[in-house]
Amino acid sequence: MAASLIYFDNNATTPCDPRAVEAMLPYFFEKAGNAASRSHPFGWEAEEAVKQARERVAQLIGAEAREIIFTSGATESDNLAIKGVFELYRPKGQHVITVKTEHKAVLDTCRRIEKLGGEVSYLDVGEDGLISLDALESAIRPDTILVSVMWANNETGVIQPMEEIGAICDKHGVLLMSDATQAVGKITVNPRAAGVHLMAFSAHKMYGPKGIGALYVSRRQPRVKLSPLIDGGGHEQGMRSGTLNVPAIVGFGRAAELAAGEMEAEGQRLRRLRDELERALLSRVEEAHLNGNPEHRLPHVSNIAFRHAEAESVMMSFKQRIALSSGSACTSASIEPSHVLTAMGRSAEMAHSSLRFSLGRFNTEEETALVIEAVAGGVEKVRSMSPVWELFRDGMLDG
Ligand SMILES: *Cc1c(COP(=O)(O)O)cnc(C)c1O
């Protein structure tokens, strides 16, 4: 590799767009007021900047500014939505429905709901990562208060049919929440049009700063109410107290504005690169299998299983100089196969042999070509040292 490092891990986080950083800078220095200070121009200026950022974020998702609650990120937004609904709607029922392939921020929050006495149903997905609409509808009960389905999956990019899901929830009068962290700023996302009442997303997955995110909370038809996680000065309509992170909010607003303007062209450019990467790897490398539905997918994500080529070893073959993500997750105690890939019916072995490629705004055609060479070569090298691959090649193993 001639160049230094290549970053193909944009689903983990994206670098900030310099234009977002530029917008933020004055709010650290000459415009460093507290947006809640009402008695001097520093406060007014900060308040005005937050107002404008809120409008830009709202506009990106076709919402009203008052429907945006700023949080520290999507993890907090997921917690606020699920725990906030559970606490307030508990007298009505204690049943929540979610999906096995959700992000840990949703799954672990649902575990907490179970500890608090709630009941959670975890829907299966098909081999392609999509949920069954019939299974969703059958899981809804009279005491169901919330359905939580992610818009697009962080590991596979698979996009769930949110409008159909919204119609089912509407028919049964159940609130619908969606973790749209990977979708917002990448594809058109409109919670109101899809019948989504609560929606979590984050700036650092769309070229804004880390540590700032939002929860969309529908304010009309229906007007959704929540119990806050954090009590205090009553900021953010009482749903999230604490002094607003003005520079980060401004960066988030600018990132949203940029995404609104550039998302479509950028999506097309990244789709071309991603498709080229996928075509090359699937045709050149034996026993390479795409993970996830090939059509209902984000344009910049590809997840491929390379049978009997352990992903961590493949990455070691190019000394980790290309940033990718493997189908293995390190938990406190061990290395576990991705819960997303195993829920899709992949074996632990295939999950550990899977690589996620997530392209972004700053990736180039040259980088894509280098990644293809490095990964194809890496898989070959790992297999050449693997007795298991040899047995498989000789037909002595079936999987
Ligand atoms: C990254 C991510 C999160 C967590 O977002 P933070 O802003 O880092 O807390 C939650 N859900 C999904 C789907 C993600 O991709």
Side-chain angles (χ1 to χ4, degrees):
M1 219 174 311
S4 44
L5 297 171
I6 296 180
Y7 191 72
F8 265 38
D9 202 13
N10 288 276
N11 280 16
T13 190
T14 52
C16 258
D17 191 298
R19 294 169 290 180
V21 178
E22 199 182 338
M24 294 167 69
L25 289 176
Y27 296 91
F28 288 104
F29 304 116
E30 67 270 22
K31 299 181 178 180
N34 185 325
S37 297
R38 292 282 152 79
S39 46
H40 51 70
F42 294 90
W44 305 336
E45 207 166 38
E47 190 190 11
E48 185 53 35
V50 168
K51 180 167 173 268
Q52 189 188 54
R54 200 186 299 283
E55 280 162 7
R56 287 173 172 175
V57 170
Q59 219 161 48
L60 178 63
I61 59 164
E64 294 172 32
R66 62 187 180 135
E67 295 178 309
I68 301 299
I69 304 297
F70 287 118
T71 66
S72 65
T75 300
E76 185 187 331
S77 298
D78 286 333
N79 272 265
L80 174 57
I82 297 169
K83 291 175 183 167
V85 163
F86 183 73
E87 191 179 324
L88 206 66
Y89 291 75
R90 213 172 171 175
K92 198 175 156 244
Q94 305 204 54
H95 181 233
V96 173
I97 299 171
T98 189
V99 185
K100 289 184 178 166
T101 51
E102 292 288 309
H103 192 272
K104 290 287 178 188
V106 167
L107 291 176
D108 288 352
T109 304
C110 286
R111 292 286 177 220
R112 178 74 59 193
I113 294 300
E114 291 177 297
K115 285 198 183 117
L116 294 170
E119 209 184 317
V120 182
S121 300
Y122 298 88
L123 298 176
D124 289 317
V125 295
E127 274 182 24
D128 63 356
L130 291 170
I131 65 164
S132 144
L133 295 171
D134 290 338
L136 167 65
E137 188 154 20
S138 325
I140 297 176
R141 318 189 309 211
D143 62 339
T144 305
I145 50 170
L146 181 69
V147 170
S148 183
V149 179
M150 74 199 308
W151 207 292
N153 187 271
N154 46 302
E155 292 190 28
T156 59
V158 167
I159 300 170
Q160 298 292 347
M162 292 313 300
E163 290 190 10
E164 285 87 339
I165 294 167
I168 291 170
C169 291
D170 184 54
K171 180 173 151 198
H172 294 273
V174 176
L175 287 178
L176 174 59
M177 131 87 183
S178 183
D179 179 339
T181 311
Q182 294 291 348
V184 172
K186 316 290 171 54
I187 56 171
T188 303
V189 167
N190 185 320
R192 178 164 303 283
V196 168
H197 309 112
L198 294 145
M199 191 179 85
F201 54 111
S202 189
H204 78 96
K205 301 283 175 79
M206 46 178 273
Y207 312 97
K210 293 170 182 53
I212 189 78
L215 181 67
Y216 160 84
V217 182
S218 168
R219 287 292 302 262
R220 58 183 167 89
Q221 296 168 342
R223 176 172 178 173
V224 177
K225 288 186 187 158
L226 288 176
S227 286
L229 296 175
I230 301 173
D231 293 297
H235 307 76
E236 300 297 277
Q237 305 170 57
M239 287 190 235
R240 207 281 189 175
S241 287
T243 299
L244 293 181
N245 185 346
V246 178
I249 289 170
V250 168
F252 190 8
R254 183 73 177 120
E257 188 186 31
L258 293 171
E262 299 173 9
M263 167 167 87
E264 201 176 309
E266 190 173 296
Q268 283 173 19
R269 184 184 77 89
L270 293 178
R271 184 187 298 278
R272 269 198 304 278
L273 296 184
R274 189 272 313 266
D275 288 352
E276 168 57 19
L277 173 102
E278 213 162 67
R279 191 200 55 72
L281 289 175
L282 292 178
S283 64
R284 276 174 56 174
V285 182
E286 273 177 88
E287 286 296 320
H289 303 273
L290 190 64
N291 290 317
N293 188 294
E295 269 93 50
H296 301 284
R297 216 161 36 125
L298 294 171
H300 60 284
V301 185
S302 182
N303 192 313
I304 303 176
F306 301 95
R307 193 188 298 280
H308 298 309
E310 208 227 345
E312 298 291 338
S313 309
V314 173
M315 287 195 275
M316 245 184 287
S317 78
F318 39 81
K319 302 190 176 60
Q320 284 93 359
R321 295 177 70 78
I322 299 170
L324 302 173
S325 186
S326 79
S328 310
C330 295
T331 61
S332 50
S334 62
I335 297 177
E336 303 216 326
S338 144
H339 71 282
V340 173
L341 299 178
T342 51
M344 290 161 61
R346 290 293 194 205
S347 64
E349 221 267 278
M350 281 295 259
H352 287 306
S353 304
S354 293
L355 283 170
R356 176 186 72 187
F357 305 85
S358 47
L359 286 70
R361 187 173 288 171
F362 305 108
N363 291 130
T364 62
E365 209 167 324
E366 292 70 36
E367 287 179 323
T368 309
L370 288 168
V371 171
I372 293 168
E373 292 307 318
V375 172
V379 170
E380 199 173 316
K381 190 168 159 197
V382 169
R383 284 176 177 169
S384 73
M385 299 184 298
S386 156
V388 181
W389 174 248
E390 216 163 282
L391 287 173
F392 177 80
R393 283 293 306 275
D394 298 344
M396 317 274 279
L397 284 179
D398 346 298

